[in-house]
Amino acid sequence: DISISSTWTVPSGTTTLDLNGHNITMTGNSGSVIYLNGSGVNLTIKDSVGMGTITGAKQGIEQCGGGICVLNGATLTMEGGNISGNKSEVGGGIGIKNAIAILKGNVKITNNQTTTGGHGGGVYIYGNSSELHISGNVEITGNAAGSMGGGVHNAESGTIFLSGAPIIKNNTADKGTGIVVEHLLTIEGELTGNNRDINIYPEFLLL
């Protein structure tokens, strides 16, 4: 396991992180655990063994995700691992602003939270060029938002793509415990599985 006192900033280029069953824990009082900023910054996270966790953030960078902050053209791909026990003003687990995040496989976003009045306990997405792809058996559970979107909050712009058999349940918020959508949600193909909890705050829903 690894403990860090300050944020790990992912360098330009393509980086692969295999948690391999280990934890990365933020011990500092501020900063996201992992930070991606800029076009050409690409991070893929795997977990060959399972149970590896990114945890411990108390306040994310730039009002962006506690566990992972993804900004300005960067791309995050998660194929495994857990993001759990993080806190930020928005996006307790992951924050995405004008960037792309792809969550697939056995990824778990659990037990993250925002500060009072914050949005997106699990994941927060904002910005016209932002995309959040959720597929496979991804679990977004047990997260809490002080205001909107216990599981996921898509704020005013950006697009969520949803497919496969995601489990989005047992999240809490003042409004919308599952997915709050203020812009676009695209459901790709036929969703399978049970226990989805999708709350739509309308503008558009594309089926």
Side-chain angles (χ1 to χ4, degrees):
D1 295 349
I2 298 174
S3 295
I4 57 175
S5 60
S6 60
T7 299
W8 174 42
T9 299
V10 179
S12 182
T14 299
T15 302
T16 299
L17 169 65
D18 189 345
L19 294 171
N20 202 31
H22 294 287
N23 300 332
I24 301 176
T25 302
M26 166 63 79
T27 60
N29 290 323
S30 64
S32 308
V33 183
I34 298 175
Y35 179 69
L36 295 76
N37 187 3
S39 177
V41 178
N42 303 289
L43 174 64
T44 297
I45 297 176
K46 303 180 179 182
D47 190 9
S48 298
V49 175
M51 300 303 292
T53 302
I54 296 164
T55 187
K58 303 171 183 66
Q59 177 59 59
I61 290 175
E62 298 180 19
Q63 299 182 350
C64 187
I68 304 178
C69 176
V70 193
L71 297 174
N72 302 324
T75 299
L76 167 70
T77 303
M78 282 197 71
E79 300 175 356
N82 304 326
I83 299 177
S84 182
N86 299 286
K87 187 175 183 179
S88 188
E89 184 174 348
V90 295
I94 301 174
I96 306 151
K97 291 186 178 182
N98 294 311
I100 297 173
I102 302 167
L103 311 179
K104 58 185 179 179
N106 295 316
V107 171
K108 294 179 174 59
I109 313 294
T110 64
N111 300 316
N112 302 284
Q113 61 179 305
T114 70
T115 55
T116 302
H119 305 310
V123 184
Y124 178 83
I125 173 175
Y126 177 84
N128 290 328
S129 60
S130 288
E131 296 180 7
L132 171 62
H133 299 256
I134 303 173
S135 64
N137 299 315
V138 171
E139 295 184 19
I140 301 176
T141 61
N143 302 287
S147 182
M148 298 177 66
V152 180
H153 186 204
N154 180 8
E156 300 180 5
S157 54
T159 303
I160 298 173
F161 298 88
L162 194 63
S163 64
I167 298 173
I168 303 171
K169 65 176 184 177
N170 296 335
N171 301 288
T172 60
D174 183 53
K175 294 181 180 179
T177 59
I179 301 178
V180 167
V181 177
E182 294 186 70
H183 194 242
L184 292 172
L185 168 66
T186 299
I187 298 179
E188 300 178 308
E190 182 178 356
L191 292 177
T192 59
N194 298 311
N195 300 317
R196 291 181 306 278
D197 177 14
I198 303 175
N199 294 265
I200 305 300
Y201 184 98
E203 285 185 18
F204 306 102
L205 172 63
L206 303 182
L207 299 178

